[in-house]
Amino acid sequence: DASVVTQLAIGGSQPMLSRDEEAAAAVIAMADERVKQELALGDQPIAAMHYWSRRESDLAYHRRCAAVMFGPAGAAPSWVVVVDLVAAQVLELCPAAKW
């Protein structure tokens, strides 16, 4: 009622990805030549989620990143592609079984 801030808390986490960020992550991943070489016929983006590394030395600790899962529709993912959304580049490509 007094229009006074009573508490302010600053967290160290990032908000979840927006739909636009999810779509951008998939587009960035699909444009990467390394990703194109590894995907099998029928592999497509299945999901994209916020990715934040626990290791402070990783770029994904300091930047807005996404992990894009690729695989055939209706099946388990075959590849995980980590995308730096700030620089619009692929940071890592990993078989989903090793993720």
Side-chain angles (χ1 to χ4, degrees), residues 70-89:
F70 281 88
S78 53
W79 287 93
V80 178
V81 179
V82 177
V83 174
D84 177 346
L85 293 167
V86 176
Q89 67 181 11

Side-chain angles (χ1 to χ4, degrees), residues 10-65:
I10 299 174
S13 63
Q14 296 180 6
M16 299 305 292
L17 296 177
S18 68
R19 291 186 190 264
D20 289 341
E21 288 174 312
E22 290 175 358
V27 168
I28 293 164
M30 289 186 300
D32 188 273
E33 290 302 320
R34 296 168 295 172
V35 174
K36 290 178 186 178
Q37 290 175 2
E38 295 296 343
L39 296 180
L41 186 62
D43 281 352
Q44 60 188 14
I46 296 172
M49 62 185 76
H50 180 250
Y51 176 72
W52 181 61
S53 176
R54 293 181 179 199
R55 294 184 303 256
E56 196 170 341
S57 60
D58 288 347
L59 189 59
Y61 183 88
H62 302 281
R63 302 288 285 264
R64 186 88 167 137
C65 294

